[in-house]
Structure formats: structure tokens, C-alpha cells
Amino acid sequence: MIRAELGLGILGTALWIYCLFDVIMTDESRIRNLPKVTWIFVVLITSVVGAVAWLVAGRPQTPQRSLPYKGNTGAAFPEYERPGRFVPTNPDDDAEFLRKVRERAEAQTREAKRQRLERERLAAEQLERERERRRGSNANPGPNATGANGTGASADPGQSADPGTNADPGKGADPTSEPTAD
């Protein structure tokens, strides 16, 4: 007999402590029938009777949804909890989902190919412009072309700007003539 009373006492105390912590930890906006402070006093003062009253009349009936922040109450019917919405258990069972995934993958592949072709086209155009620039500077020096020293003469002092003349005074103008000894 004493064991039964001791066991019931331990169960009653455990229930009372559980309900007290439950009242304290529950968000005030979800508590039913009475304010949170009143429920705390009811459970504290009346012990097991208050704990049973909390479980029956005060405790929220639905489990708490995880929302981004505490003050957010969410929409009346969040996207996946709307009445009548069919949600397949396996993504492979949803043909529309698979079709959209396939279309998105194909669109991404097309876009990647388009971007690659555009990069290749721009690189080819840049290479062609560089070739034209090099070809134009080598083939047609222009009327104001100057030598490496910027004077219009070549860099070699023995060569004149005119290919028919020789700038060396010791040599004659005729390339076939022999140099004279002075």
C-alpha cells in the first residue's frame, strides 16, 4: 500500500513539474483559454489538478510549426499545408516536377553553349583584329614612317634613308666601284 502511494506521489510530482515547465516554455500566443501567467499560478497552486487542467484546457492542440522568427504567425494556409493539395511522396512519382527539372536542365545546357560560343567568337574576332593590326603595320609603313631612332634614317649609321646612296664618305656612290685609298 505504501509503495502504491509512493509511486502515485512520484508520478503526480513528475506530471506537475512537466506541466509547469510546459506552461513556462509555451509561447503565450499559442496558449488556450487563460493568459500564461494565470496558467502558471493555477499549475503551481493546485498541483496535480492544475497540471491535468493545463493538459486538457490550456495546452496548445497542434504542434508548433518552425517559422523563421518568433513573431511570425505565418499565412492561413502555408504552401504545403493547403487543403486539397496533393503532395507525392516520391519526386519520381510527380511527372510535372520531372518535366520541369528536365526543361530547366536543357535550358541551362543551351545557355552554357551559347555563352561558350560567344566567348569563342569574341576571342576569334580579337585574334583577327590583332593579325590585321600586325599585317597592316608590317606591310604598309605609311608616308611618315621613321626608323628605329625616330629620325627617318635607319638605325645603322652606314645605311642612308635612300637605298641607292651610301652614307659612308670613304666609299663611292657606286656599289661596284672599289674603295679608294687616301
Side-chain angles (χ1 to χ4, degrees):
M1 183 76 172
I2 294 177
R3 288 185 185 172
E5 289 178 9
L6 183 61
L8 287 175
I10 292 174
L11 283 176
T13 305
L15 177 67
W16 177 68
I17 291 173
Y18 168 77
C19 288
L20 185 61
F21 278 106
D22 194 30
V23 171
I24 292 170
M25 299 299 288
T26 302
D27 187 24
E28 189 168 3
S29 64
R30 301 187 66 232
I31 294 177
R32 299 182 297 148
N33 298 325
L34 295 175
K36 183 175 185 172
V37 176
T38 306
W39 275 115
I40 292 173
F41 283 122
V42 167
V43 172
L44 268 174
I45 295 172
T46 60
S47 182
V48 176
V49 174
V52 171
W54 163 253
L55 292 175
V56 172
R59 191 165 194 251
Q61 291 178 338
T62 59
Q64 183 176 0
R65 292 184 295 208
S66 62
L67 296 172
Y69 56 92
K70 186 176 181 180
N72 188 1
T73 59
F77 294 108
E79 180 64 26
Y80 295 104
E81 295 178 8
R82 286 183 300 181
R85 183 180 189 281
F86 172 72
V87 180
T89 56
N90 186 356
D92 294 336
D93 295 340
D94 191 355
E96 183 177 349
F97 172 76
L98 294 174
R99 181 184 54 79
K100 286 180 181 179
V101 167
R102 195 172 17 261
E103 288 174 357
R104 188 171 55 232
E106 290 170 356
Q108 289 173 348
T109 303
R110 283 192 303 270
E111 180 63 19
K113 184 176 181 179
R114 187 195 62 78
Q115 289 177 359
R116 181 181 50 83
L117 291 174
E118 180 69 16
R119 280 193 309 271
E120 289 173 357
R121 184 187 62 80
L122 291 174
E125 287 177 1
Q126 183 178 5
L127 184 63
E128 187 61 33
R129 282 194 302 267
E130 182 66 24
R131 286 180 183 158
E132 288 294 324
R133 185 185 64 79
R134 286 181 184 168
R135 222 179 291 148
S137 65
N138 290 340
N140 186 10
N144 296 330
T146 59
N149 60 5
T151 61
S154 68
D156 183 12
Q159 297 289 328
S160 68
D162 186 4
T165 62
N166 196 339
D168 189 1
K171 296 182 180 179
D174 186 16
T176 58
S177 66
E178 292 186 16
T180 58
D182 289 335

